Amino acid sequence: SQQGEEDPQALSIQEGENATMNCSYKTSINNLQWYRQNSGRGLVHLILIRSNEREKHSGRLRVTLDTSKKSSSLLITASRAADTASYFCATDAYLASKLTFGTGTRLQVTL
Amino acid sequence: EAGVAQSPRYKIIEKRQSVAFWCNPISGHATLYWYQQILGQGPKLLIQFQNNGVVDDSQLPKDRFSAERLKGVDSTLKIQPAKLEDSAVYLCASSPAGGNIQYFGAGTRLSVL
């Protein structure tokens, strides 16, 4: 079963704008990760945030985590056409490497 | 460093036929995962191996799906017999022992007609 629900399901923005996508999950977690999937390809890891962290940055990516609300957000700043992809959050529980993925957000960045 | 290799990339079969997928993980990665990704959904874990032992196969439909990782390196996933609802992308991923980050192959797209 899917652990996370992502919102919005689809997002269309213009190049240079920021993109924000949200993830909600149901059970306690150890870590939350974000992955990107380009059409017809496998998933690529973007960033990991631990349950005791609230915010993390990596390049143009900013992730926040609110464990009290069981939610996370991924912000991509100054988006580029190459950011067009599906984005998935994935959670794992303490002492378990099994990842449970959300339903994904499809991001379209137009020129 | 070579990534996770999967073959074939595409497969079309008729229902009730059998099919097998192959995965070669990143060298040295002890943990190997098989996921099923139905169109428009996130990946769903089918089975997880640690070396050549099964860690989690709770979501594997064992009446028709089987997987093995005999020498703790590459792995095969088999479906026999296939059903229409098995149409999906089958993703293989690997990670170092105890690692949180998973590295994915490009997947095999299966169409069951």
Side-chain angles (χ1 to χ4, degrees):
Chain A
S1 60
Q2 305 284 164
Q3 157 77 306
E5 295 287 334
E6 280 155 273
D7 170 54
Q9 288 189 329
L11 179 62
S12 183
I13 60 173
Q14 291 193 320
E15 201 171 47
E17 294 181 335
N18 296 341
T20 299
M21 50 205 87
N22 304 295
C23 166
S24 60
Y25 56 91
K26 299 174 184 173
T27 60
S28 296
I29 63 169
N30 189 35
N31 304 297
L32 186 143
Q33 303 181 44
W34 286 88
Y35 285 79
R36 184 187 73 228
Q37 185 176 34
N38 290 87
S39 181
R41 307 296 298 272
L43 283 78
V44 175
H45 176 263
L46 295 176
I47 194 165
L48 179 151
I49 187 165
R50 303 191 188 284
S51 59
N52 62 354
E53 297 176 311
R54 292 297 166 257
E55 187 171 313
K56 201 160 183 181
H57 297 253
S58 176
R60 295 185 295 114
L61 304 180
R62 171 177 169 257
V63 170
T64 61
L65 179 64
D66 186 335
T67 53
S68 66
K69 295 181 180 179
K70 291 187 170 59
S71 68
S72 174
S73 68
L74 172 67
L75 168 68
I76 304 173
T77 60
S79 63
R80 306 166 181 168
D83 295 328
T84 294
S86 291
Y87 292 81
F88 295 91
C89 66
T91 56
D92 66 70
Y94 185 64
L95 293 181
S97 58
K98 169 184 175 178
L99 287 180
T100 303
F101 285 85
T103 51
T105 293
R106 293 186 308 279
L107 174 65
Q108 176 77 41
V109 182
T110 56
L111 296 172
Chain B
E1 176 181 85
V4 176
Q6 288 190 248
S7 67
R9 286 298 316 274
Y10 306 93
K11 190 74 177 178
I12 300 173
I13 62 172
E14 294 187 348
K15 60 183 179 182
R16 292 188 289 273
Q17 286 188 322
S18 302
V19 64
F21 314 125
W22 174 82
C23 171
N24 189 32
I26 292 174
S27 178
H29 281 194
T31 311
L32 185 147
Y33 312 81
W34 283 103
Y35 290 88
Q36 180 192 59
Q37 185 177 24
I38 293 172
L39 186 64
Q41 298 183 19
K44 181 185 83 171
L45 180 70
L46 293 176
I47 189 166
Q48 176 183 343
F49 291 95
Q50 180 80 7
N51 296 309
N52 61 348
V54 175
V55 174
D56 187 336
D57 63 357
S58 57
Q59 297 192 91
L60 186 74
K62 298 180 186 64
D63 58 334
R64 298 184 300 106
F65 286 65
S66 64
E68 60 183 15
R69 193 185 184 199
L70 292 176
K71 296 182 180 179
V73 181
D74 57 354
S75 175
T76 55
L77 176 70
K78 297 178 181 178
I79 307 174
Q80 180 179 12
K83 292 185 175 181
L84 297 177
E85 58 261 37
D86 298 332
S87 294
V89 175
Y90 291 85
L91 294 163
C92 179
S94 69
S95 66
N100 298 115
I101 296 170
Q102 296 184 18
Y103 300 83
F104 284 78
T108 296
R109 182 175 297 276
L110 173 68
S111 296
V112 182
L113 306 178

